[in-house]
Amino acid sequence: MENNVQISYSTLIQQLSTANELALDEEALTHVDKDNFLQYFTLNGSATYDAITGTVTLTPDENNEVGNFSLTSKIDMNTSFTLIGQVNLGSDPNGADGIGFAFHNGNTTDIGNAGGNLGIGGLQDAIGFKLDTWSNGYQAPSSDEDGSEVSSTDSNGFGWNGDSLKAPYGTFVNTSNQEITTKDGSTVQRWWAEDTAGSAQSLSKTDINGQFHDFVVQYDGATRTLTVNYTETDGNVLTWTTTVSDSYQAMAMIVSASTGGAKNLQQFKITSFDFKQAATVDVEYVDTTGKKIAEGTVSYPNGAAVNGTYETTQADVDGYTFIEMDDGSVTGAKSLTATGTLTQAGNNGTVIYVYAPAYTETTKTVNETISYIDQDGNSVASSHTAKPVTFLTVTNPVDGSTVIYYSTTTTDGTLDKETGIPTAAGWTKETNADFPEVANPVVKGYTAISNDAPDSDLTKVSAQTVDNSSNDLNFTVVYTKNASTVTTETRTVNETIHYVYKDGSKAADDYVATPV
């Protein structure tokens, strides 16, 4: 990084012009100026363009505005490019938020998050530069959705990193894929923007004077050096320099600004932009309504050039299942093949993967057992075990709604990936089910005396209704042994005593006792 370089802006422009003329001859660069600006850039949000002056008004001097312009094709990062223009940061030294420039690996249609992110946060693998006019402390995300699902205008939902210097200042910014803790303590994915360590330089508040300041971005494809020059009000030229990794082969470009509770008129005026268009494709992952649900990257095995090839892959997206490549019925555009050949410079089209909600299922089986015992706990008849009832709860991960099924013939919870309906036969869509009535067995010599099943009596266990919150049912029918049968018999017993001599003759009268 170089600070406070004293150089004439006219000298700088002359040097760049000479370099560009050589590059144009050698590389056949695309030349953009105020007259053909809208052929190569797309305006978004509050951004408007004045073709007479070549001025893009990113935000009017109004609160809560977001505007940007993005290059419709990617830049070949193996070739030098130069962007020459001017920036107007507004006339209120206490206004917000500033202007961000970003080169990134995402789609040419991607837009970074506003507010404290200055349109850089949320872009994939971005190398950004910002002229920040509002001091921001760290802001934890308020949304528990991953970054790709958060609106680009919802800066509080996305969150932002704290500034490395008191505003106003200029610095390089990088984004990296991080897990960030939200305000409620959950963890979410974010392409999180952080000031590049050691690159911040203070600006003077006198630069926020409603005037245009010369601004140049120059990239050397041979050394992969990216240089930013900004001319202060007093004519001093501030310079920032960084090196771009070899892994960046083709990069999208976007320039953005936003306002919030504080505001400013924020503008960029183009003089010229000379670059080589890379041959690229975009890739999108959408649900069946066309909503973006994930971010993806494209690889170029032979480089991002005409007649080269591109490769994309199907992503694993939590809560969703891939169903098809878009035939035009989802987004209105027919998808390119997942891999293919680059036929022209610039954007060759979009690979569109379509996903349906991945329904999740849980099962619970409820059993019913009836025991038949005597008063001592001994079994008097075989227990009754009912046919189990299995409940299947299907949850839609998008809105959290559930559908409940039950079955007594299957436990197979396989679902149709598009509809969430069970594929196995035997499921009934119902929130509860009944175990049928069971008659108490007749046990010889015993009589039922108690039954703890609800709404039942000594002759039966009544039908029992259960649902997916029910525990197993265990009932007990108690029997007692029948009393013994008593019989009676009457019999008279007599006693008679005979008295005789030794010779057998009678000696005295017989004694006859009272009968018993």
Side-chain angles (χ1 to χ4, degrees), residues 44-48 56-59 65-69 114 255-259:
N44 301 290
S46 62
T48 59
V56 180
T57 297
L58 294 164
T59 65
E65 296 286 353
V66 179
N68 61 73
F69 62 91
V255 178
S256 59
S258 63
T259 63

Side-chain angles (χ1 to χ4, degrees), residues 111-149:
I111 297 173
N113 195 265
N117 287 289
L118 280 176
I120 302 172
L123 297 174
Q124 297 181 62
D125 287 319
I127 299 174
F129 179 83
K130 67 178 181 178
L131 297 169
D132 196 331
T133 60
W134 182 266
S135 295
N136 288 289
Y138 184 92
Q139 173 76 41
S142 62
S143 171
D144 59 4
E145 293 182 310
D146 285 337
S148 61
E149 300 180 76

Side-chain angles (χ1 to χ4, degrees), residues 163-390:
D163 290 338
S164 61
L165 202 64
K166 184 178 179 180
Y169 73 106
T171 183
F172 281 117
V173 181
N174 291 86
T175 66
S176 58
N177 193 8
Q178 297 187 30
E179 297 294 323
I180 302 296
T181 301
T182 66
K183 286 184 175 180
D184 65 8
S186 60
T187 301
V188 292
Q189 179 277 337
R190 292 286 186 270
W191 282 100
W192 199 243
E194 297 174 309
D195 291 0
T196 304
S199 72
Q201 296 186 60
S202 293
L203 303 178
S204 172
K205 282 203 171 186
T206 61
D207 285 349
I208 308 176
N209 55 7
Q211 302 299 311
F212 281 98
H213 294 260
D214 296 330
F215 186 84
V216 177
V217 178
Q218 186 177 23
Y219 174 75
D220 187 323
T223 62
R224 304 189 73 83
T225 302
L226 181 66
T227 303
V228 176
N229 293 292
Y230 170 81
T231 303
E232 297 182 288
T233 302
D234 61 7
N236 183 54
V237 178
L238 296 180
T239 299
W240 293 261
T241 301
T242 191
T243 301
V244 179
S245 168
D246 290 342
S247 62
Y248 293 91
Q249 294 296 306
M251 299 189 76
M253 172 185 166
I254 190 168
V255 178
S256 59
S258 63
T259 63
K263 57 188 175 64
N264 251 327
L265 173 69
Q266 298 172 119
Q267 297 174 307
F268 178 85
K269 181 187 292 186
I270 187 169
T271 301
S272 64
F273 179 38
D274 296 289
F275 73 104
K276 182 179 179 181
Q277 293 187 72
T280 60
V281 299
D282 287 340
V283 58
E284 294 181 356
Y285 302 90
V286 301
D287 66 14
T288 51
T289 68
K291 176 186 175 183
K292 179 181 178 181
I293 59 173
E295 296 159 325
T297 57
V298 184
S299 61
Y300 304 96
N302 312 114
V306 176
N307 297 323
T309 59
Y310 68 87
E311 295 179 356
T312 67
T313 57
Q314 185 185 124
D316 292 327
V317 184
D318 289 342
Y320 291 88
T321 300
F322 170 74
I323 54 172
E324 64 182 356
M325 309 301 285
D326 191 5
D327 60 3
S329 61
V330 177
T331 65
K334 187 174 181 180
S335 173
L336 298 177
T337 57
T339 61
T341 300
L342 300 161
T343 60
Q344 62 185 23
N347 193 334
N348 284 246
T350 306
V351 180
I352 308 171
Y353 293 88
V354 181
Y355 292 73
Y359 292 87
T360 57
E361 80 287 341
T362 57
T363 59
K364 181 174 183 180
T365 298
V366 183
N367 299 286
E368 181 188 55
T369 302
I370 306 172
S371 300
Y372 306 100
I373 62 174
D374 64 17
Q375 291 167 295
D376 295 323
N378 300 312
S379 176
V380 297
S382 297
S383 296
H384 170 80
T385 301
K387 186 177 290 186
V389 177
T390 298

